[in-house]
Amino acid sequence: MEKEQINRYIHEQLPSMAAMGASVESVDETALILTAPLDQNHNGHGSAFGASLYSVAMMSCFAAMYLACREHFDSPTIMIRDGQMRYRQPCDQPIIRASCRMPNIRQWEGFFAHYEKAGKTTLSLTSKILQGDDVCAYFDGLFVLVGE
């Protein structure tokens, strides 16, 4: 699936992502990177708004899971069950960048095998808000594939 198709899906399913200016910057077998401009997502201090950081980090994980599920299903139904953000330092660069680490092949195989057996399954995904080499925040989320 092309980046533009992913971005279109994200913006159609979650209009708030379009309002934030969020888009997939890159995706490969190791990571999916979602970005959003600071000028649309800042607080009164000139740094990124905490809820925007949470949204971008969570959506990087959601998009990564969606991509993997699309390889098996035409229209997967994915939900977030739980999410936690740990803020380390302000993010004040012009572009907010969230990087979701992709699970390895074995993890995906177990995930889809469990879905086939149980009809739903969960996966824990993590994302980092990066500012150069510095980590501004960590996100951990538990996502659920509940159907096709």
Side-chain angles (χ1 to χ4, degrees):
M1 179 177 271
E2 299 294 323
K3 285 190 312 184
E4 290 309 312
Q5 291 173 306
I6 302 166
N7 287 327
R8 190 171 33 260
Y9 171 81
I10 290 170
H11 294 168
E12 288 171 0
Q13 296 300 311
L14 294 161
S16 62
M17 290 289 109
M20 293 174 64
S23 64
V24 174
E25 177 181 271
S26 65
V27 61
D28 61 27
E29 64 278 349
T30 63
L32 183 141
I33 298 175
L34 189 76
T35 63
L38 178 64
D39 64 358
Q40 291 175 241
N41 298 285
H42 63 85
N43 58 26
H45 305 287
S47 59
F49 181 53
S52 293
L53 292 176
Y54 182 96
S55 295
V56 171
M58 182 277 299
M59 197 62 210
S60 70
C61 295
F62 185 95
M65 187 161 171
Y66 177 76
L67 278 176
C69 290
R70 279 286 302 188
E71 292 178 13
H72 297 266
F73 312 109
D74 288 335
S75 185
T77 301
I78 302 166
M79 298 181 177
I80 183 167
R81 177 178 286 169
D82 189 25
Q84 180 181 14
M85 191 81 168
R86 292 179 311 282
Y87 301 94
R88 311 271 298 169
Q89 67 183 36
C91 180
D92 57 9
Q93 294 297 306
I95 300 295
I96 298 167
R97 185 167 279 109
S99 177
C100 174
R101 183 186 61 79
M102 297 293 242
N104 63 42
I105 292 171
R106 196 168 126 201
Q107 290 169 308
W108 283 125
E109 288 171 351
F111 172 80
F112 289 113
H114 189 267
Y115 177 79
E116 291 299 319
K117 181 180 176 185
K120 68 178 180 179
T121 190
T122 61
L123 183 67
S124 180
L125 293 170
T126 61
S127 181
K128 298 178 199 175
I129 300 289
L130 300 169
Q131 187 163 269
D133 291 333
D134 295 330
V135 177
C136 296
Y138 294 93
F139 172 83
D140 294 305
L142 186 61
F143 294 82
V144 184
L145 173 62
V146 294
E148 302 176 45

